[in-house]
């Protein structure tokens, strides 16, 4: 199937080294940043917390704790807008005391100890570090890396395609943290029983490819594939088809095909947790769009987005829309007081003039572009019409749950019908 080409807008950001952004004066840490069971706060107002201290958790398996990104005092437990849920969510507000006091929540291991380490112990470190899928889905990584024993993992795919047209955070990690990614891959190999490794990236990542070949080129059973991957092929199931030729059935998960697909930023976080004892309290975020200086920032989770705009002299009077997490699969935020979360791969600011040029929604013209463009062969307009009736029996029969949320149908629709968001909301 020919996948829809979506132009990349990365020229400046992809060549700009990662900058460390200053710690916020007040960190706003949203409790539920993962896909899974909700967390309960472990702290109360007026409590003093340290960097890396666990501040919320759950006893449920499909969950992931959060940690304080700064040291200071809990000044409020309230609500703030979360792009993860597209609604207001519970959050812990921490006032920075400037002392940078660190907590030691768990102990790292040395690289020499990895060979003798037990998979269960490594998974526990990953769990305690609060690591989730940083490519956007936010599923707890310790669960993903523990498939049922009857499904041995033969292939580990490092997803370094980063198809979102404005995102560059993963690309900079490929260039600047290549050796650390190797450490993370070695942890995954240990946990998964030493599968073959395929590192899938795009030919457009010209600076990253030689770095990957240099660091991974002599590793056993490891292949670096630089392909002409389109945006939609960053999806785990579609990427497997591109690499290995098989199609994952709608009712099956990747592990049932003997494969685990892991995002670059997640692998980097795994290495930091296992070998440095660092919980997931910061991440690299691409700052891009209609701004003077697109760049990549290492930002503490809980940093208000308004801080980032102010520090980078972005005039909000000229900004009409802010999207967090990629322009195709991310979400527009109604306020820049919303904080960075574990799932904030990018912040994309669009000018008022660009937003005004966007056409208003009109009636479907029956062009079938959405059907031709769908990478999983759905009929988006038919699903949309069934939802709007509503006729959810027909919605189910049209396989709405197979939608991967790539947004391509909305992108190609000349009538500007919100196909993708409506279908995803019905799942």
């Amino acid at each position: 199937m020919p996948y829809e080409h979506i132009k990349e807008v990365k020229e400046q950001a992809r060549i700009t080294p990662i900058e460390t952004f200053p710690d916020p004066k007040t960190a706003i840490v949203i409790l539920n940043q993962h896909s899974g069971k909700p967390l309960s706060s472990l702290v109360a107002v007026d409590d003093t917390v340290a960097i890396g201290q666990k501040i919320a958790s759950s006893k449920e398996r499909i969950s992931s704790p959060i940690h304080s990104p700064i040291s200071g005092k809990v000044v409020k437990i309230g609500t703030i807008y979360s792009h993860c849920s597209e609604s207001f969510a519970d959050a812990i507000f921490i006032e920075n005391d400037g002392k940078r006091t660190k907590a030691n929540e768990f102990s790292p291991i040395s690289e020499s100890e990895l060979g003798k380490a037990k998979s269960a112990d490594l998974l526990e470190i990953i769990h305690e570090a609060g690591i989730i899928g940083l490519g956007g889905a936010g599923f707890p990584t310790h669960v993903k890396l523990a498939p049922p024993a009857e499904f041995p993992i033969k292939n580990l795919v490092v997803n370094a395609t980063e198809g979102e047209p404005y995102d560059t955070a993963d690309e900079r990690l490929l260039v600047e943290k290549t050796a650390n990614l190797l450490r993370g891959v070695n942890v995954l190999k240990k946990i998964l029983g030493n599968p073959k490794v395929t590192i899938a990236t795009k030919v457009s990542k010209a600076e990253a490819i030689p770095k990957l070949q240099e660091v991974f080129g002599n590793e056993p059973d490891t292949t670096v594939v630089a392909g002409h991957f389109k945006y939609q092929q960053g999806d785990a199931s579609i990427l497997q088809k591109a690499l290995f030729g098989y199609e994952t059935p709608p009712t099956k998960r990747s592990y049932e095909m003997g494969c685990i697909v892991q995002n670059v930023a997640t692998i980097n976080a795994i290495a930091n947790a296992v070998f440095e004892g660092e919980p997931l309290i910061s991440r690299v975020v691409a700052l891009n769009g209609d701004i003077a200086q697109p760049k990549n920032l290492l930002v503490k989770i809980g940093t208000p987005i308004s801080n980032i705009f102010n520090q980078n002299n972005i005039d909000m009077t000229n900004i009409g829309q802010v999207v967090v997490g990629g322009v195709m699969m991310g979400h527009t935020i109604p306020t820049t007081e919303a904080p960075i979360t574990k799932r904030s791969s990018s912040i994309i600011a669009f000018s008022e003039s660009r937003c005004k040029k966007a056409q208003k929604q009109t009636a479907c013209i029956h062009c079938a572009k959405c059907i031709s463009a769908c990478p999983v062969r759905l009929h988006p307009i038919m699903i949309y019409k069934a939802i709007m009736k509503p006729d959810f029996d027909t919605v189910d029969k049209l396989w709405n749950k197979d939608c991967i949320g790539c947004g391509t149908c909305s992108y190609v629709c000349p009538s500007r019908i919100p196909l993708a968001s409506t279908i995803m909301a019905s799942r």
Side-chain angles (χ1 to χ4, degrees), residues 82-268:
S82 169
H83 74 89
C84 299
S85 61
E86 295 185 87
S87 62
F88 279 79
D90 292 334
I92 298 169
F93 294 66
I94 304 168
E95 187 177 84
N96 198 334
D97 62 10
K99 297 179 180 178
R100 301 188 63 82
T101 307
K102 292 186 177 182
N104 296 312
E105 289 287 322
F106 55 90
S107 299
I109 67 170
S110 66
E111 292 182 63
S112 62
E113 295 174 306
L114 180 60
K116 296 181 179 179
K118 295 180 180 179
S119 294
D121 293 338
L122 295 172
L123 289 171
E124 182 62 15
I125 291 175
I126 292 169
H127 175 218
E128 285 300 309
I131 297 175
I132 63 174
L134 300 183
F139 191 74
T141 302
H142 70 282
V143 180
K144 182 175 182 176
L145 296 178
E150 62 266 29
F151 297 107
I153 303 303
K154 300 177 182 178
N155 289 294
L156 168 64
V157 176
V158 177
N159 190 346
T161 57
E162 195 174 37
E164 277 280 358
Y166 284 80
D167 286 16
T168 55
D170 283 2
E171 186 164 354
R172 290 315 305 175
L173 287 172
L174 293 174
V175 173
E176 300 180 43
K177 302 293 182 181
T178 327
N180 203 44
L181 294 175
L182 174 58
R183 297 202 301 169
V185 167
N186 287 336
V187 173
L188 295 179
K189 289 171 65 178
K190 175 64 178 179
I191 292 172
L192 298 172
N194 203 34
K196 293 182 179 179
V197 178
T198 302
I199 301 164
T201 192
K202 299 172 75 170
V203 292
S204 58
K205 302 187 189 302
E207 189 178 359
I209 292 169
K211 290 272 190 177
L212 291 170
Q213 291 172 336
E214 176 187 353
V215 172
F216 287 92
N218 294 321
E219 293 296 310
D221 293 323
T222 299
T223 306
V224 177
V225 177
H228 292 275
F229 297 112
K230 296 294 192 294
Y231 156 68
Q232 299 87 347
Q233 290 173 296
D235 175 78
S237 59
I238 300 175
L239 185 57
Q240 288 172 71
K241 183 177 180 180
L243 293 172
F244 307 124
Y246 62 76
E247 188 164 333
T248 305
T251 57
K252 291 182 179 286
R253 296 185 179 275
S254 294
Y255 68 76
E256 295 179 81
M257 308 302 292
C259 183
I260 292 288
V261 181
Q262 200 71 75
N263 163 265
V264 168
T266 309
I267 295 173
N268 187 64

Side-chain angles (χ1 to χ4, degrees), residues 346-414:
S346 60
I347 306 166
I348 317 298
F350 292 112
S351 66
E352 188 74 43
S353 59
R354 183 197 290 258
C355 295
K356 285 181 178 178
K357 289 179 182 178
Q359 298 174 2
K360 292 184 179 180
Q361 181 179 338
T362 58
C364 173
I365 61 173
H366 306 286
C367 65
K369 285 186 177 181
C370 63
I371 297 173
S372 299
C374 179
V376 289
R377 300 192 296 275
L378 299 180
H379 291 62
I381 188 60
M382 295 174 65
I383 300 174
Y384 175 84
K385 289 181 176 180
I387 293 169
M388 300 309 290
K389 279 186 177 181
D391 178 2
F392 286 101
D393 285 340
T394 297
V395 171
D396 289 341
K397 290 176 182 177
L398 290 170
W399 296 91
N400 70 309
K401 289 183 173 59
D402 282 355
C403 173
I404 62 174
C406 68
T408 307
C409 54
S410 295
Y411 177 81
V412 301
C413 178

Side-chain angles (χ1 to χ4, degrees), residues 28 76-81 88-91 93:
I28 308 171
K76 177 182 175 181
I77 296 179
T79 59
I80 193 73
Y81 186 84
F88 279 79
D90 292 334
F93 294 66

